[in-house]
């Protein structure tokens, strides 16, 4: 008789109990009746609705390109949200700070952004010669509610999660949103390839925007305590705010080095964003199904990659993760510029998604650790302004350059800028 121990029914039953779908659902989606549990459920279901609607995002520049938009128009589509952030983030943040209940503003603004996909789908029914211009105008107007969403998101999520539950809430929201978006993007790509253009994009945009209704229904039901009224203090002028920023940066050179390095690298990241869909359509002649699969693979790997890099940074340190991820993503657009096989492009998108998750984590950690926490609002404002600047300028420069020297060559330039940023991180680490 073998001396090996056999699993007992108790062990098996315990395992089966752990794997019960209802138990897993309860761990992921709280089933309690208290306000906090209800709020968590609403946030997670809201994330699913946003995931459905955001599956249309990868196809928007593709749609404009197939409608005949030039390179500059695609760059403008990418740059407009950053320009709106530069102009409206501070005044809209002040407006939201005066609202006793921020949830209706956050919920309605999200719905208005998603509604723009419906309007985009309707444009070709009524306009043909100026369809690209009309769609750009729609998304220019969408930048205002999108800025409200960007400002209000942090406040609403922090209010739902409380001081102890941010990781629990956001990891589940991002995961549910990412899974939903990855699946729907793939399905949308299949649908696009089976219906005549432009009706295919019109149907997909209008259908996916229905996710906005799901988001609106659940997000507007989030219950938060009233915000305390802000103190009645004189708001500093823009010039006074600028002087304050300069004074703070002189006192904290580590923060200046961190933000300067990140600005260069983020410029390289934003530089390539409008070039990729142009490359797929004009250089690879990829089908909509193939483009959808590229987006699906790139987004799906993020789900596990965040946890992978969290473990790597814990074992090997932030610097190792920083240099590994930034170096890998610097070569991504360069390799892409020489790639003509769609299968390799899909594989590259998956690899890039893994390293992109690491960059999200390490850049955030670097900034937070470089300034005094009692002055977080000031330094976050400075850092966000640099991000908006990079994200606004880089796509316009990239698409203009692509028109003059070619899309593959512009991708190589994007990689070169990222390599300069990587070099700045190396020097910053030595200092």
């Amino acid at each position: 008789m073998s001396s090996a121990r056999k699993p007992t029914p108790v062990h098996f039953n315990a395992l089966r109990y752990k794997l019960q779908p209802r138990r897993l659902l309860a761990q992921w989606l709280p089933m309690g009746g208290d306000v906090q549990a209800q709020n968590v459920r609403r946030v997670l279901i809201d994330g699913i609705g946003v995931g459905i609607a955001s599956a249309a995002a990868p196809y928007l520049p593709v749609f404009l390109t197939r409608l005949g938009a030039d390179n500059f128009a695609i760059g403008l589509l990418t740059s407009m949200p950053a320009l709106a952030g530069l102009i409206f983030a501070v005044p809209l943040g002040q407006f939201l700070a005066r609202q006793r209940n921020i949830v209706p503003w956050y919920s309605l603004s999200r719905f208005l952004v998603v509604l723009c996909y419906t309007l985009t789908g309707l444009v070709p029914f009524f306009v043909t010669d100026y369809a690209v211009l009309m769609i750009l105008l729609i998304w220019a107007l969408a930048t205002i509610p999108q800025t409200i969403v960007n400002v209000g998101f942090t406040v609403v999520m922090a209010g739902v999660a409380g001081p102890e539950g941010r990781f629990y809430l956001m990891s589940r929201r991002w995961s549910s949103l990412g899974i939903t978006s990855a699946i729907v993007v793939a399905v949308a790509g299949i649908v696009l390839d089976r219906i005549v253009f432009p009706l295919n994009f019109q149907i997909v945009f209008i259908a996916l925007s229905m996710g906005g209704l799901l988001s609106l229904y659940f997000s507007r039901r989030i219950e938060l305590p009233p915000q305390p009224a802000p103190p009645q203090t004189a708001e500093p002028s823009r010039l006074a705010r600028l002087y304050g920023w300069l004074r703070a940066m002189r006192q904290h050179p580590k923060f200046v080095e961190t933000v300067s390095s990140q600005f260069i690298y983020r410029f390289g990241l934003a530089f390539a964003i409008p070039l990729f869909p142009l490359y797929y359509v004009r250089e690879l002649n990829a089908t909509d199904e193939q483009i959808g699969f590229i987006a699906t693979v790139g987004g799906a790997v993020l789900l596990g990659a965040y946890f992978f890099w969290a473990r790597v940074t814990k074992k090997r340190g932030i610097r190792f993760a920083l240099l590994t991820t930034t170096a890998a993503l610097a070569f991504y657009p360069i390799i892409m510029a020489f790639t003509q096989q769609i299968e390799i492009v899909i594989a590259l998108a998956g690899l890039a998604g893994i390293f992109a998750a690491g960059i999200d984590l390490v850049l955030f950690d670097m900034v937070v650790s470089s300034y005094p926490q009692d002055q977080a609002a000031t330094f976050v404002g400075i850092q966000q302004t640099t991000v908006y600047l990079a994200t606004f300028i880089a796509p316009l420069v990239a698409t203009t350059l692509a028109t003059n020297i070619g899309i593959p060559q512009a991708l190589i330039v994007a990689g070169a800028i990222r390599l300069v940023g990587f070099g700045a991180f190396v020097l910053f680490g030595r200092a």
Side-chain angles (χ1 to χ4, degrees), residues 54-67:
S54 63
Y59 297 110
L60 183 57
V62 175
F63 183 45
L64 287 175
T65 303
R66 298 199 188 283
L67 283 174

Side-chain angles (χ1 to χ4, degrees), residues 122-288:
L122 294 175
V123 164
F125 285 127
F126 304 100
V127 180
T128 54
D129 295 338
Y130 299 99
V132 171
L133 181 61
M134 288 297 299
I135 292 172
L136 285 175
L137 179 60
I138 289 170
W139 287 99
L141 295 174
T143 59
I144 297 177
Q146 181 62 59
T147 304
I148 296 178
V149 172
N150 294 342
V151 175
F153 178 82
T154 302
V155 178
V156 173
M157 294 303 119
V160 172
E164 304 297 332
R166 286 191 289 270
F167 179 79
Y168 169 88
L169 178 68
M170 298 314 301
S171 62
R172 281 158 177 75
R173 177 183 169 87
W174 283 337
S175 296
S176 59
L177 191 156
I179 292 171
T180 302
S181 183
I183 294 173
V184 177
V185 164
V187 174
I190 296 173
V191 173
L192 288 172
D193 264 0
R194 284 155 177 76
I195 303 176
V196 65
F197 179 86
L199 185 61
N200 53 352
F201 282 91
Q202 294 178 262
I203 292 174
V204 165
F205 284 154
I206 294 172
L208 295 185
S209 65
M210 295 301 103
L213 295 175
L214 182 66
S215 170
L216 178 66
Y217 179 79
F218 284 95
S219 63
R220 68 192 297 267
R221 294 164 65 88
I222 295 172
E223 299 178 29
L224 297 180
Q227 288 191 121
Q232 298 296 323
T233 57
E235 184 65 27
S237 66
R238 291 189 177 185
L239 185 60
R241 190 182 298 116
L242 177 60
Y243 282 142
W245 287 3
L246 293 175
R247 184 169 55 253
M249 288 190 291
R250 282 198 303 269
Q251 295 171 352
H252 297 87
K254 180 182 177 182
F255 174 78
V256 176
E257 292 175 344
T258 302
V259 171
S260 300
S261 303
Q262 289 200 18
F263 177 82
I264 299 171
Y265 200 84
R266 288 186 183 277
F267 194 95
L269 291 176
F271 198 95
I273 289 176
L275 299 178
F276 285 129
L278 292 171
Y279 189 75
Y280 300 152
V281 175
R282 294 181 178 167
E283 300 293 328
L284 297 181
N285 295 315
T287 65
D288 295 321

